[in-house]
Every structure is written in structure tokens, then in C-alpha cells.
Amino acid sequence: MMYVSTRGEAAGRGFAAILLEGLAPDGGLYVPERYPQVDAAMLAAWRRLSYPDLAFAVMSRFVDDIAPSDLKALVQRSYRAEVFGGDPRIAPLRPLEPGAFVLGLSNGPTLAFKDVAMQFLGHAFEHELARRGRRLCVVGATSEVDA
């Protein structure tokens, strides 16, 4: 899987290469060069998976330069009930009314939707930095809401 810049000036690169970069050198965002196809049978099979197994099934279609066993371990470490409020569903779907549901994305350590992505990214950063024998300091910020 290759990723290209939305501004069209950066050459295609693999996931591990762009992981630590942030923006592309031309200031664009990296997007997949092509999107994997998902058919009805695959969707039906995915419906029975746990959150970590589903995350691995989806991510493995976009990340082909991290060994599958390593990617699976990263996903399993990222999406654990202990990290997401004790709920093994990680992002539970709750009914509001017939035909309407809310996806719970605030069960992570900071109680914000970004936890769903950042749990994986933190582990992926550590993996790729260790593979390269490098270190990195990441500073992040979030907004605060007054109640």
C-alpha cells in the first residue's frame, strides 16, 4: 500500500515511512494511492469480530510494511478493555431509539474520541522508532470543555 500527498508533489511511500512524518513534504496530507475493496461477504464476516480483531482486519488492508504478527500485537495492545473504561467493546454502539444509535468514542484514558486513534499511533510510533533505533518526543494538546 502506497500513500501519496493530497497536493500531488510527494512520491508514494509506505505506511511505516509516513507514520513519523506528519504532513507530506509538500504540505499535503498522505492518503492511500488506492483504496482496498471490501465486499458484502467480508463485511458479513467482520460483523462477528471483536473490536481488536476488526481493527486488525481493517488496518492490515492499509498497512503492509509492518509484519502482520507485529501489527496484530500493536492492535491488541492498543485496544484493551483496561484502557477503554473496562468495556471490551472499546467503542460501544448504544441504541437511542429504534433505528438510531450512538457510537461511544469517549471511553479511553482522556475521555475523548482521539483516544481511539492515539492508542494505536502511540504503539505504532514506538514500534517503528525501535525498528529504526531512534527516539522521538511527541507533544500533544487537547481542548478542554467547561461543564
Side-chain angles (χ1 to χ4, degrees), residues 49-104:
L49 299 178
S50 67
Y51 190 97
D53 290 340
L54 176 59
F56 172 74
V58 173
M59 286 186 202
S60 64
R61 300 184 62 77
F62 291 88
V63 180
D64 59 6
D65 54 355
I66 295 176
S69 59
D70 290 342
L71 181 61
K72 187 162 189 105
L74 292 170
V75 169
Q76 294 291 333
R77 229 178 9 247
S78 301
Y79 302 116
R80 297 175 293 126
E82 308 86 79
V83 176
F84 285 87
D87 193 332
R89 296 174 298 170
I90 309 303
L93 192 61
R94 295 186 177 101
L96 276 180
E97 59 185 56
F101 299 84
V102 171
L103 183 61

Side-chain angles (χ1 to χ4, degrees), residues 73-144:
L74 292 170
V75 169
Q76 294 291 333
R77 229 178 9 247
S78 301
Y79 302 116
R80 297 175 293 126
E82 308 86 79
V83 176
F84 285 87
D87 193 332
R89 296 174 298 170
I90 309 303
L93 192 61
R94 295 186 177 101
L96 276 180
E97 59 185 56
F101 299 84
V102 171
L103 183 61
L105 296 175
S106 60
N107 294 343
T110 70
L111 304 177
F113 69 93
K114 66 178 174 47
D115 290 333
V116 176
M118 295 310 294
Q119 288 303 304
F120 173 76
L121 282 177
H123 293 296
F125 272 34
E126 288 175 352
H127 173 81
E128 186 58 20
L129 288 166
R131 192 187 70 72
R132 294 178 184 208
R134 293 182 45 207
R135 293 177 52 116
L136 176 71
C137 180
V138 177
V139 178
T142 187
S143 58
E144 192 174 307

Side-chain angles (χ1 to χ4, degrees), residues 14-64:
F15 177 81
I18 68 166
L19 175 64
L20 304 175
E21 275 188 40
L23 294 175
D26 63 5
L29 301 173
Y30 280 112
V31 295
E33 194 170 57
R34 62 172 180 73
Y35 287 88
Q37 298 300 303
V38 176
D39 60 25
M42 187 176 295
L43 283 176
W46 285 357
R47 290 183 201 285
R48 295 186 292 276
L49 299 178
S50 67
Y51 190 97
D53 290 340
L54 176 59
F56 172 74
V58 173
M59 286 186 202
S60 64
R61 300 184 62 77
F62 291 88
V63 180
D64 59 6

